[in-house]
Amino acid sequence: FFTIKSLTYNLTQQSDLNRPLFRIGAILKVSEATFIRASWGEGYRYPSLAELFVNSNIGGIGLFPNPKLEAETGWYAELGIKQGMKFGDWGAYIDGAFFANRYNNMMEFNFGQYGLPSDELYGLGFSSQNVGDTRILGMELSFGSSGKIGKFPLNILAGYTYISPISLDWDKELEVY
């Protein structure tokens, strides 16, 4: 539960989420070195005090407040598989996962012209804005290995993540504070 009252802005904000967030996950051991996992959970992000109130200038670029910023809610889901392998003294694994994220009222920093001409720091800069509903689908693939070359230990980790972010409110005009 969050509540913010401002002395400088006409603002009294309360979070719209007054309940626990739920998360669940499971791992199934299919064989000695094969594991399948699944998870689902809810998320909630309330704007930080800096996003709501900080008005600053860094090297001529402004950082502008947004006291009208609203909280972000969402959920995530993942389904993955991990396969372990052994090659002599070397151990290795391959891990792959598909995931989905859904955000309502997503917040992100945007570059643009903010403030009013009468403001001291009116001009170009960054401000956190609600950009609407979004969906992010993706997949991850990683490989890890460890062993020795002679007396020297060697650990290898490589991975690739692909994401496809989509604005579900693409046609909606962004209301910038």
Side-chain angles (χ1 to χ4, degrees), residues 6-152:
S6 172
L7 298 175
T8 56
Y9 293 94
N10 184 12
L11 174 71
T12 299
Q13 270 190 351
Q14 288 191 348
S15 60
D16 55 355
L17 183 75
N18 296 311
R19 64 170 177 79
L21 295 175
F22 294 97
R23 295 184 177 140
I24 188 168
I27 299 174
L28 176 64
K29 186 175 181 178
V30 178
S31 67
E32 186 172 332
T34 306
F35 300 88
I36 295 175
R37 68 181 179 280
S39 63
W40 177 89
E42 294 178 297
Y44 180 80
R45 186 166 98 73
Y46 195 76
S48 71
L49 291 176
E51 290 172 312
L52 290 168
F53 302 116
V54 168
N55 198 348
S56 185
N57 191 321
I58 303 167
I61 302 293
L63 181 61
F64 297 94
N66 183 352
K68 293 185 178 183
L69 199 58
E70 296 177 9
E72 170 185 294
T73 60
W75 59 264
Y76 69 91
E78 179 185 81
L79 179 62
I81 185 167
K82 184 174 186 178
Q83 177 64 57
M85 298 162 274
K86 190 109 170 120
F87 305 102
D89 292 339
W90 283 78
Y93 70 88
I94 294 177
D95 188 315
F98 294 98
F99 60 86
N101 297 310
R102 177 72 158 75
Y103 298 99
N104 299 312
N105 215 20
M106 185 176 181
M107 292 182 268
E108 75 175 19
F109 273 94
N110 283 286
F111 184 77
Q113 188 166 18
Y114 297 99
L116 300 171
S118 60
D119 291 345
E120 180 183 334
L121 294 174
Y122 173 71
L124 292 177
F126 292 91
S127 178
S128 190
Q129 302 291 320
N130 291 111
V131 296
D133 297 345
T134 59
R135 180 181 64 224
I136 301 172
L137 302 176
M139 61 173 238
E140 294 179 325
L141 186 61
S142 62
F143 169 80
S145 181
S146 63
K148 287 186 177 182
I149 297 179
K151 294 182 181 182
F152 299 101

